[in-house]
Amino acid sequence: MRRRAAVAIAACLLVALTAACEPTGGGLPDPSRTSDRPAPTDVSEHESGPESPIAYGLQVPRGATQIGPLVRYRSNRLIEAYRPELDAAQAQRDAEQQRRRTEAEANGTPLPPPTPTPTTEPSDDTFNLLDTPPKPDTTISLMRVDGSPTQVVRSMVAQIDTVLPDAGIIRSNISTYCEERDRRITECRVEAEGRTANKRDLKITLSVDPGDIKTRTSPPATNQNPVMELKIEYVGDPRLGQLNRQGDGNVDVPRSVSTRDTSGLIWPRMDEDAPATAPLLNDWREPLGSTLLLSGFQPAFAAVATTKALDADRIASSFAETVNDEPAKDVVEDLNEITTTYIAKGKNGEVAMASYVLSARGYYAMLFYTPPDKK
């Protein structure tokens, strides 16, 4: 059934991306040379507007736009919790296949050895042998801030405070979460951990990148706007987190914030986006035939769309392999999407995570990099 679902999804994909990007060479643009400035990036077909659901009641806030799909994957804790069941199911399947092979040989009609067939279809769900494969427990949303950054950040803070009422969130002053230089915001980060009303133990992390205030240059494909990465992790008992999930999103989060911010901080204006040739993600180079939808300097991420499924998968796997040539792999079939996630840890502690997402909207590679000092 899951294989048929994968084929059905692949058959209905409608992707019309034809733009290509040059290999990265490095260096930021010269502001005096206006002809070098990248044209505004139009990714409207890959956008999700305000109030689009993310997870546990959290939504895309007004004044922001989600770019690309949600990245939904299983944490290592969840995988390890269900690994004994998976190992047992695989052993039972292997024993059954061997029994059939032995019987066929005894009857004089040996079965042909299995031969792998090249295919562009994604693999089956890693836990497809289980009657009920565990659902993803981690979700990441990548967003571009199109409205007032202060209002957007405060709206997200208010949402987090509503979902985790005992986390000690401060709504009225963004300086609690934002670093500044001469009152200009250089970055914002909110980390909250607590329990929801329906007793889900969560960790929520919101990171905001306004761009490089020294060069007044924003990350590629941001249209000189700040970008946000929102990560929601279930951190309670992995098995308990799979039970009674129907009410997880039954939270009425605030749509806006009316009270005045008391921080007095200023969001710096960016003159232009860095070109596609700017270094990203540990000097990762965007391959030809792909379209960069959104990126961030801090935290380091990139959302990429391709016209071919195989290209998106190769981008994701090859990026992870730049840190470790044997990344861990997990495949999730859920919510009419198939997500293949590669996670690689380097010797120095850096982490490269990449998800290939196959959905009805297109083929995506969602890349994330955590340097050693940011673990």
Side-chain angles (χ1 to χ4, degrees):
M1 177 63 72
R2 295 187 181 89
R3 170 62 70 182
R4 290 198 298 271
V7 174
I9 293 172
C12 72
L13 293 174
L14 298 175
V15 182
L17 303 174
T18 58
C21 300
E22 298 178 359
T24 56
L28 296 176
D30 180 355
S32 65
R33 298 179 60 184
T34 57
S35 61
D36 290 344
R37 297 180 183 177
T41 303
D42 181 10
V43 297
S44 54
E45 64 183 302
H46 306 285
E47 295 179 351
S48 300
E51 300 184 14
S52 297
I54 299 174
Y56 295 98
L58 294 164
Q59 303 176 353
V60 176
R62 295 176 181 175
T65 304
Q66 179 178 291
I67 307 299
L70 290 171
V71 179
R72 306 177 72 252
Y73 63 99
R74 302 181 181 105
S75 68
N76 187 62
R77 293 174 61 251
L78 179 61
I79 292 172
E80 291 303 316
Y82 281 83
R83 189 176 297 281
E85 293 179 35
L86 179 61
D87 289 345
Q90 289 175 333
Q92 182 177 358
R93 180 198 59 185
D94 293 344
E96 178 63 20
Q97 289 177 345
Q98 183 58 45
R99 183 188 64 79
R100 292 177 180 175
R101 187 171 299 279
T102 300
E103 290 180 353
E105 291 177 351
N107 294 331
T109 56
L111 299 177
T115 56
T117 302
T119 177
T120 60
E121 297 174 14
S123 305
D124 287 330
D125 191 299
T126 303
F127 289 84
N128 72 317
L129 293 178
L130 304 186
D131 292 336
T132 306
K135 301 288 187 180
D137 60 349
T138 306
T139 300
I140 298 177
S141 172
L142 301 180
M143 291 175 274
R144 184 188 63 232
V145 179
D146 300 316
S148 163
T150 295
Q151 288 297 96
V152 169
V153 171
R154 293 190 66 209
S155 178
M156 284 307 316
V157 168
Q159 288 192 40
I160 295 170
D161 187 33
T162 302
V163 173
L164 300 178
D166 298 324
I169 293 294
I170 297 174
R171 298 192 184 194
S172 60
N173 190 328
I174 62 172
S175 66
T176 305
Y177 308 106
C178 297
E179 301 292 329
E180 54 87 17
R181 184 181 304 155
D182 298 326
R183 292 178 57 218
R184 272 68 176 176
I185 293 173
T186 58
E187 66 173 309
C188 297
R189 185 175 177 85
V190 182
E191 291 187 358
E193 192 164 341
R195 179 166 290 188
T196 66
N198 66 333
K199 303 187 185 306
R200 298 293 191 198
D201 294 316
L202 300 182
K203 180 180 179 181
I204 301 176
T205 305
L206 173 69
S207 302
V208 188
D209 179 7
D212 188 330
I213 66 171
K214 290 182 179 180
T215 62
R216 296 172 65 93
T217 304
S218 56
T222 61
N223 297 340
Q224 298 92 59
N225 293 338
V227 293
M228 302 193 301
E229 176 186 312
L230 179 67
K231 184 176 183 179
I232 306 104
E233 305 169 81
Y234 176 81
V235 294
D237 180 272
R239 289 182 172 274
L240 291 179
Q242 297 293 310
L243 304 177
N244 305 318
R245 297 173 54 131
Q246 292 80 5
D248 284 352
N250 295 341
V251 182
D252 187 14
V253 296
R255 302 297 192 270
S256 61
V257 178
S258 58
T259 57
R260 185 177 64 89
D261 176 64
T262 60
S263 71
L265 297 183
I266 300 171
W267 290 87
R269 294 183 181 273
M270 299 292 118
D271 292 329
E272 58 187 339
D273 287 1
T277 55
L280 286 172
L281 295 158
N282 195 31
D283 291 330
W284 170 77
R285 295 173 179 267
E286 182 192 2
L288 290 171
S290 64
T291 299
L292 183 64
L293 305 179
L294 194 69
S295 68
F297 291 146
Q298 179 62 36
F301 69 79
V304 179
T306 68
T307 57
K308 298 179 180 179
L310 188 59
D311 288 345
D313 192 23
R314 284 175 175 169
I315 290 173
S317 60
S318 62
F319 170 69
E321 289 167 2
T322 61
V323 168
N324 187 314
D325 57 8
E326 294 184 355
K329 177 183 177 181
D330 185 47
V331 182
V332 173
E333 294 183 36
D334 194 37
L335 298 179
N336 297 320
E337 292 183 344
I338 303 177
T339 302
T340 304
T341 298
Y342 304 90
I343 299 179
K345 295 183 179 180
K347 295 180 180 179
N348 297 324
E350 70 269 34
V351 177
M353 192 196 88
S355 291
Y356 153 48
V357 183
L358 185 157
S359 74
R361 297 174 64 181
Y363 310 103
Y364 301 93
M366 311 293 280
L367 315 178
F368 306 87
Y369 178 75
T370 305
D373 60 342
K374 293 292 183 179
K375 268 197 69 179

